[in-house]
Amino acid sequence: MKVLSAADVRRAVPMSTAIDAVREAFRELAAGKFVLPPRQIFGNGSVLVMSAYHTPTGTAVVKKIGIALDQVPAIRATVIWTGGGDQLVADGGSITTLRTGAVVGVATDLLAPADASRLTVIGTGAQAPDQVRAVLAVRRIADVTITGRNADRAAALSTALAGEFPEVKFTPSTSIEDSLDADVICCATSSATPLFDVGALPDRVHVNAIGAFRPTMRELPRNLLASASVVLVDQIEAALEESGEIIDAIDSGALKTTDLLELGQALSAPPQTSGRTVFKSVGIGPQDWAIAAALARA
């Protein structure tokens, strides 16, 4: 049995590799090559169990996540991957942030303007750094604004990422409204209410939202979902079960289920885009499988 720490995960799977692995996993999901049981949710979302079985290889992944938003880190998880006689146990927190960043990289590459150069990340928690790494892996970003309620945390994260990407300008901010003039916006918060109004956004922008993972949480306003040229989700079934933004928009009549496009399908037939586009992710098992499989091969 191979046991891997967070540092081991980072050394073995760089973001570019993670993006390629997750992209292929979504193509295979759309082709029916995964058995994907519903996510098990306990304690009002404080404990999650996710699994996926890859039929072509006979390999499977199970992830247990403990979430405590008032603690640091907020996510504590363990991933178990099995295949044949092999078994891998790895730090699930690092896999979760890596695969969440990777799926945002896939969606951004698909939907964001080809000439995008300005990125804003709203949120300074554990997910934020991989949101930056993923978008920088697929677009030539020159300016990044890190926005959070705590000025010290926004400044510290900006400084750390500037050391990693010295060619990029990083600016910390505590004002969401002043940070929205961007080509790509990544929302990575635990907000229960929309972070901004659609009228404050540029006419052309791609928005990723990965922070809200419960029906009671919302990062995006319903009028953004109603007016976007594309509303992309990782999986419709999961979004209807767990995404507060999607549930609210559909319940209010602002959005129909038929307006949603799954990522795997979009990779096979890229949609026409204009104006504003949205990717909403709640995370599904094939993403964890993709990273774990890459670790097993490393």
Side-chain angles (χ1 to χ4, degrees):
M1 181 173 65
K2 186 187 295 186
V3 179
L4 301 175
S5 67
D8 294 331
V9 171
R10 292 292 173 178
R11 281 192 295 267
V13 185
M15 182 56 74
S16 58
T17 300
I19 290 172
D20 290 343
V22 167
R23 182 185 289 113
E24 182 58 27
F26 272 92
R27 287 196 176 108
E28 293 196 296
L29 175 64
K33 296 182 180 180
F34 279 98
V35 177
L36 188 58
R39 184 189 333 226
Q40 294 177 284
I41 303 174
F42 305 100
N44 194 31
S46 62
V47 177
L48 310 175
V49 178
M50 305 167 62
S51 59
Y53 176 76
H54 187 238
T55 53
T57 60
T59 58
V61 68
V62 177
K63 181 171 73 173
K64 175 265 178 184
I65 313 170
I67 301 173
L69 298 177
D70 59 343
Q71 298 179 14
V72 178
I75 298 173
R76 293 176 172 85
T78 302
V79 168
I80 301 173
W81 181 90
T82 59
D86 298 325
Q87 182 165 284
L88 178 150
V89 178
D91 173 75
S94 58
I95 288 178
T96 298
T97 59
L98 180 59
R99 60 85 145 153
T100 306
V103 77
V104 161
V106 175
T108 299
D109 197 28
L110 187 67
L111 296 182
D115 61 349
S117 63
R118 300 166 299 164
L119 165 67
T120 289
V121 175
I122 304 174
T124 58
Q127 295 278 11
D130 279 323
Q131 297 294 294
V132 174
R133 295 179 184 119
V135 176
L136 265 60
V138 299
R139 288 295 184 271
R140 293 182 178 274
I141 300 296
D143 295 281
V144 177
T145 300
I146 304 293
T147 303
R149 292 175 297 181
N150 186 300
D152 291 339
R153 290 184 63 176
L157 181 55
S158 295
T159 298
L161 289 167
E164 189 174 341
F165 300 99
E167 72 283 5
V168 177
K169 177 185 177 183
F170 286 85
T171 303
S173 174
T174 56
S175 171
I176 293 176
E177 185 176 353
D178 292 341
S179 304
L180 297 177
D181 187 18
D183 303 304
V184 180
I185 297 172
C186 293
C187 304
T189 76
S190 57
S191 181
T193 58
L195 297 171
F196 47 78
D197 184 76
V198 68
L201 294 174
D203 292 335
R204 187 189 74 156
V205 65
H206 172 65
V207 181
N208 299 299
I210 60 91
F213 58 91
R214 297 172 182 163
T216 56
M217 301 167 71
R218 289 173 60 197
E219 293 185 295
L220 305 180
R222 67 172 68 137
N223 49 1
L224 170 59
L225 297 172
S227 61
S229 66
V230 178
V231 178
L232 190 68
V233 296
D234 36 22
Q235 186 193 45
I236 291 174
E237 181 181 358
L240 295 176
E241 184 74 20
E242 301 167 25
S243 168
E245 297 99 330
I246 299 297
I247 294 169
D248 170 77
I250 289 177
D251 287 349
S252 70
L255 198 68
K256 300 188 294 293
T257 303
T258 52
D259 294 326
L260 303 175
L261 176 63
E262 290 191 336
L263 178 54
Q265 296 173 330
L267 289 170
S268 299
Q272 294 293 318
T273 63
S274 62
R276 298 164 180 149
T277 56
V278 171
F279 173 56
K280 172 60 196 176
S281 175
V282 294
I284 56 176
Q287 294 168 241
D288 299 304
W289 177 89
I291 304 302
L295 287 169
R297 293 191 297 267

